[in-house]
């Protein structure tokens, strides 16, 4: 009966989600049904849910999510993202396919102030795609570059994805941020290298006259935007890693810096307010998901499911590498049907105790998991990154199949970096060891 309650809960969560019910509500309904089956008493069930909801949403660390989200969207609306893109393009004058490489570089730097991959995808769809189309970049190559590099925001700190992982596993947010730095730089470098090689090996991906690769000059970037974003990154992340701020305090300082930058860049109070409202639309579903996931985790703990999962993996006798491989396969399979945050909330409470038992470093496991789940953002048929880019790009001729074709190399590169982090743990642990 104990195991049945958790199985019924999980079945309800998946079933309701596939029927179109919001995943947060599916978590709540499934967890409620499972807890009632476990105790057979509504007063106990509702009491547990009430306590879980109260304890979950009053967590001080949760403030990091809305603060970083508002900070990133204010910076995006200020025009600083365009400044980053134009500056990268101007710096890479001798590089083939420099608009594509500038998109990767701009996304990497933008990721350091947003933490929200969807925001990066929507922003660079408007900024980078029109000049790429104008200068002869093939649609699948351009759209794939924008969607693929947008996921850097899930890895490069201050990633909201990392914050959620840290909360679920009770790890240090600051150390997890530090762990993502080198893999994030490696992944961005790999993306840029691919764009250059692809343009050289397959010249037909860029048919414009301005290149051997379409290298136009863009409007000159505003140095205020570049310096402002740099100052915010250094102050926020440097303060967190240097021990001057907690992540929550650092996010508040970063938000203040973003507001100042917004006013300097001539944003109105109404525009800043609209950015805050848009951030609320992004953050509210995440917080609701965390609430539902907290209830789901409580059910799993009370039903002893993590212990059963651990026993199951022990019985398979796969060894640490085999166990991680099975987890990665499950994450990739779920990525075909469920969004990345939901995948994390469904699986991390089950996989985390098993990973600890294998002896894998917590930061290494976190980054491998984040990278593989990140690949799910690009996985057909429901890769959210592809849909965001398709809806945001101002090109009615662009097809979803073209976006997924363009995304395929980025999906592979993400998995390559995940393998590198597992095989070379110092990629994830070196920077945190300096803190």
């Amino acid at each position: 009966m104990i195991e049945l309650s958790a199985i019924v809960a999980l079945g309800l969560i998946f079933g309701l989600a596939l029927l179109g019910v919001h995943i947060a509500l599916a978590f709540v309904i499934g967890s409620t049904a499972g807890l009632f089956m476990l105790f057979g008493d509504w007063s106990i069930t509702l009491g547990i849910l009430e306590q879980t909801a109260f304890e979950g949403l009053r967590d001080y660390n949760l403030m990091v999510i809305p603060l970083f989200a508002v900070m990133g969207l204010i910076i995006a609306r200020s025009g600083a993202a365009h400044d980053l893109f134009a500056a990268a393009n101007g710096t890479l004058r001798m590089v083939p396919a420099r608009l594509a490489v500038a998109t990767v570089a701009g996304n990497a730097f933008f990721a350091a102030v947003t933490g929200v991959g969807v925001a990066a995808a929507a922003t660079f769809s408007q900024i980078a795609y029109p000049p790429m189309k104008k200068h002869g970049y093939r649609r699948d190559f351009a759209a794939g570059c924008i969607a693929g590099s947008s996921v850097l925001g899930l890895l490069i700190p201050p990633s909201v994805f990392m914050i959620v992982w840290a909360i679920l596993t009770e790890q240090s947010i600051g150390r997890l941020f530090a762990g993502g730095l080198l893999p994030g730089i490696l992944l961005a470098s790999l993306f840029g290298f691919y764009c250059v090689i692809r343009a050289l090996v397959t010249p037909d991906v860029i048919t414009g006259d301005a290149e051997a690769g379409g290298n136009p000059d863009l409007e000159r970037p505003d140095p205020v935007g570049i310096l402002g974003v740099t100052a915010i990154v250094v102050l926020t992340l440097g303060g967190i890693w240097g021990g001057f701020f907690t992540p929550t305090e650092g996010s508040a300082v970063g938000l203040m810096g973003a507001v100042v930058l917004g006013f300097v860049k001539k944003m109105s109070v109404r525009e800043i307010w609209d950015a805050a409202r848009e951030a609320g639309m992004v953050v509210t579903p995440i917080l609701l998901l965390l609430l539902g996931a907290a209830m789901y985790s409580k059910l799993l703990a009370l039903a002893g499911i993590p212990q059963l999962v651990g026993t199951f993996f022990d019985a398979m006798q796969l060894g640490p590498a085999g166990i991680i491989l099975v987890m990665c396969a499950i994450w990739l399979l779920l990525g075909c049907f469920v969004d990345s945050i939901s995948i994390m909330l469904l699986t991390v409470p089950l996989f985390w105790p098993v990973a600890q038992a294998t002896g894998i470093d917590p930061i290494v496991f976190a980054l491998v998991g984040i990278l593989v789940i990140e690949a799910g953002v690009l996985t057909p048929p429901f890769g959210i990154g592809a849909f965001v880019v398709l809806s945001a790009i101002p090109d009615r001729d662009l097809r979803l199949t073209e976006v997924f074709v363009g995304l395929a190399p980025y999906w592979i590169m993400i998995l390559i970096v995940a393998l590198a982090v597992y095989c070379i743990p110092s990629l994830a642990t070196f920077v945190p060891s300096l803190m």
Side-chain angles (χ1 to χ4, degrees), residues 197-223:
I197 296 301
R198 181 72 187 276
L200 293 174
V201 174
T202 318
D204 66 325
V205 297
I206 305 171
T207 58
D209 299 330
E211 174 154 4
N215 280 343
D217 289 320
L218 301 176
E219 182 181 341
R220 190 172 181 178
D222 180 0

Side-chain angles (χ1 to χ4, degrees), residues 104-194:
V104 173
N107 255 316
F109 209 86
F110 190 59
V113 290
T114 58
V116 182
V118 172
T123 300
F124 278 86
S125 293
Q126 300 291 327
I127 293 172
Y129 188 84
M132 282 198 277
K133 181 182 178 183
K134 177 181 177 181
H135 291 276
Y137 282 64
R138 207 168 67 191
R139 289 196 301 263
D140 61 331
F141 181 60
C145 175
I146 293 167
S149 58
S150 71
V151 302
L152 291 168
L154 301 179
L155 183 65
I156 294 176
S159 163
V160 168
F161 211 66
M162 283 188 178
I163 295 168
V164 173
W165 186 290
I167 290 171
L168 287 175
T169 58
E170 299 181 352
Q171 290 190 72
S172 163
I173 295 175
R175 286 180 61 80
L176 204 51
F177 279 177
L181 184 61
L182 291 183
I185 293 172
L186 174 62
L187 186 60
S189 301
L190 200 59
F191 286 172
F193 183 72
Y194 160 75

Side-chain angles (χ1 to χ4, degrees), residues 17 50-51 55 62 118 127 129 149 158 193 199 236 238 265 298 305 400 413 416 422 425 427 430:
E50 179 183 358
Q51 180 186 11
E55 291 178 351
L62 288 179
V118 172
I127 293 172
Y129 188 84
S149 58
F193 183 72
T236 303
K265 294 280 287 179
K298 180 72 74 174
I305 299 303
L400 182 61
M413 286 183 280
I416 290 172
Y422 180 78
L427 283 173
F430 176 71

Side-chain angles (χ1 to χ4, degrees), residues 15-35:
L16 291 171
L18 291 174
L19 289 173
V21 176
H22 191 281
I23 187 66
L25 184 58
F27 266 116
V28 173
I29 293 173
S31 301
T32 302
L35 286 169

